[in-house]
Amino acid sequence: MAEQIVTANRLNDGIVVYFAGDARWVADINEARLCPAGKDAGEALLAEAKTGSYQATAVDPYLMDVVRDAEGRLEPTKYREKIRTLGPSVRLDLGKQVWGPKGHAA
Amino acid sequence: MYRYDEFDRTLVLERARQFRNQVARRQSGEITEDQFKPLRLMNGVYLQLHAYMLRINIPYGTLSSRQMRTLAHVARTYDKGYGHFTTRQNIQYNWPTLEEIPEILEVLAEAEMHGIQSSGNCIRNVTADQYGGVVAEEVEDPRVWSELVRQWSTLHPEFSFLPRKFKIAVTGSPSDRAAVKVHDIGLRAHKNAEGKIGFEIIVGGGLGRTPYIGKTIAEFMPAEHLLSYLEAILRVYNRYGRRDNKYKARIKILVDDIGIEEYRRQADEEWESLKDGALTVPQEEVERIRAYFAPPAYETLPARDSGYEAKLFEDAEFRAWAKVAITAHRQPGYAIVDISLKPIGGIPGDASADQMDALADLADEYSLSELRVAHEQNLVLPNVRQSDLYALWQKLKAHDLATANIGLISDVIACPGMDYCALATARSIPVAQRLSKHFASLEKQHDIGRLHVNISGCINACAHHHVGHIGILGVDKRGEEFYQITIGGRADEFAKLGDRVGPAVSYDRVIDAIDVIVNTYLKLRQPGEKFIATVERLGIGPFKEAFAEENLDAAA
Ligand code: SF4
């Protein structure tokens, strides 16, 4: 079953970020805050992400669907979001796909 | 070659400084994204999937070697070592940080380049035939008139908030390399019986969601009336273009709605009050601009260089390259050289900083320090002595810039698609790469002959798929990448929209589908007949049948 998280691009460099709760935006999808079950919960999470000074960090937040893979890691359901989590599929040397764990450049 | 006059230089530097201030205010939270977005777009700054993208104008596709070095420097210093040449004769950088963009704009301004007006509902940068001023068949240099139109349209107070963006293209040759029939306005300079220069003015062309081939509103508008008549056309559009619906706001919809006769009637009516007024183009102004585009210091050479001809005879590899890469120059003894940015399996239009530097050096050594950008996402050295062609070719080879595929099936025009573009519905680059690898054999490509493939990653049609001989449009079908294929389109003086050959095919089958089309052509062509001619002779029927037989739309 798909669950939802909130994503955006980071203001300073455009890097894809995810809302982790408590006004934090993180580069690693696995640290994203999962939407609790329930109707309208996604909208509530998005509203929470859009509070305070989010504008100084995150550009145009929106909800996206994720599922868990066999190892329990979060994976986007749409290929657009898959590409956003990784980087260009035609330049495997660029984007997040070359980052090490924890979202630092390898 | 043309240099900005002082007014422009001040303006461009001023804009870079303003943008620095706007970025700082955005970062401090003083302005919101909604307030900031139009400001960054006005400076050519887009937010893509993975990062910001900076789009820089290259007016009429003309670049000096010095500007090319600046582009290389920006790619190396502020980006990831490469840039992407687009179908609008722009360059895009895919990874600049917001913080650094003001500095990049200043560096570019020093080399007389900028991103102003590459977005927004204004008249965008004017594009022209990339061979302007050098090609043998030319009637009139389109750059002179592009520049005149650019000066008229830059920050034009009345036309800064048009119903929608507005694109103008200019050609001065019988062969149309500027795709003037698929622009909001296309201008084709030609001469009347008295030898006077005038323009065929074509309006309402455009691609995207609702593609149209433009219609001729004036067969021959004498040159001195060009701006006043353009003003009249724009006024009608500004007044009646649909502002309520962004999908119906382009001039093509208005022209289609009211018909070209009615549009002409209204433009003519508007023109009554403008004709012979302040917008009449003074001959001195044309000459002033023409002086900027004065031919460089060519040597007097024999029309044919025997050394070059001997090399053509001796070296088959060189001959294959020369056959597609070289176009006749108007100056005896010189040649125009197309440089393919489509190495087999490469990313169409991408050039590394090192390649850009190498090209700047080669332009200095062999092309009187000049380069051009073609909307096919290739580059051009416009002023090469025939006697230098062999040496140039060897050096290009060393930089992977001598693929002998100009105009052939692997010279694919492809937009960035889902690999970079936030608007995309599917990827386009990997389709281009697979296609190019599938037809890697140059021998096979030369046998297939001229065949233009255009791949867009969404309905916005940045890669002009409707007018590709084979057009490919990426769509999203239930969360999967699918591709609609059209054939028979063309972007030249016989511009035509392609027709669908069948249902959309999956990412996995798209190369098979192209293969079916190509094989059908190879089977049915008459001796010497080009792909587009075969399609026009036989219609789309046989291709549809072949397509249906292969069941290409069935689940793979
Ligand atoms: S055609 Fe669509 S996907 Fe391709 S660059 Fe244009 S907007 Fe982006």
Side-chain angles (χ1 to χ4, degrees), chain B residues 48 415-418 421-426 428 455-463:
Chain B
Q48 300 270 79
C415 78
M418 185 72 93
C421 178
L423 303 172
T425 45
S428 35
I455 311 176
S456 301
C458 82
I459 195 72
N460 287 319
C462 296

Side-chain angles (χ1 to χ4, degrees), chain A residues 8-16 53-60 62 77-91 93-97 99, chain B residues 26-27 31-33 37 40 47-52 80 82 95-99 347 350 418-420 422-427 429-430 433 475-476 479-481:
Chain A
N9 289 77
R10 194 156 69 194
L11 176 66
N12 284 343
D13 53 12
I15 296 294
V16 175
S53 58
Y54 86 94
Q55 284 257 355
T57 315
V59 181
D60 295 341
Y62 60 89
T77 55
K78 297 217 165 75
Y79 60 83
R80 178 182 199 271
E81 294 304 334
K82 282 184 189 139
I83 289 174
R84 277 180 86 239
T85 60
L86 294 172
S89 72
V90 294
R91 284 296 300 261
D93 57 329
L94 297 175
K96 288 191 170 187
Q97 53 209 342
W99 291 18
Chain B
R26 175 72 183 91
Q27 284 175 315
I31 53 175
T32 64
E33 182 61 18
K37 191 173 173 184
R40 66 169 161 78
L47 186 54
Q48 300 270 79
L49 292 179
H50 318 290
Y52 288 96
K80 308 248 183 223
Y82 70 105
W95 306 92
T97 65
L98 189 58
E99 243 151 359
I347 296 178
D350 276 13
M418 185 72 93
D419 283 298
Y420 293 97
L423 303 172
T425 45
R427 285 175 296 167
I429 297 168
Q433 291 176 307
V475 294
D476 179 305
E480 305 275 332
E481 291 167 295

Side-chain angles (χ1 to χ4, degrees), chain B residues 1 133-134 143 293-299 329 331 367-368 370 383:
Chain B
M1 128 174 208
V134 292
R143 297 169 305 168
F293 294 105
Y298 293 121
E299 290 167 36
H329 202 287
Q331 180 71 22
S367 184
L368 303 172
E370 204 184 316
N383 293 311

Side-chain angles (χ1 to χ4, degrees), chain B residues 167-193:
Chain B
K167 298 179 178 179
I168 301 178
V170 189
T171 179
S173 284
S175 318
D176 178 11
R177 284 169 290 267
V180 298
K181 290 192 177 170
V182 291
H183 280 76
D184 295 286
I185 289 184
L187 301 174
R188 183 178 68 86
H190 60 122
K191 282 187 178 153
N192 67 5

Side-chain angles (χ1 to χ4, degrees), chain B residues 243-261:
Chain B
R243 289 172 193 270
D244 59 319
N245 181 342
K246 106 175 187 168
Y247 299 120
K248 300 198 164 169
R250 297 290 285 265
I251 192 174
K252 61 190 178 184
I253 304 291
L254 181 61
V255 172
D256 188 63
D257 267 0
I258 66 175
I260 187 67
E261 287 80 22

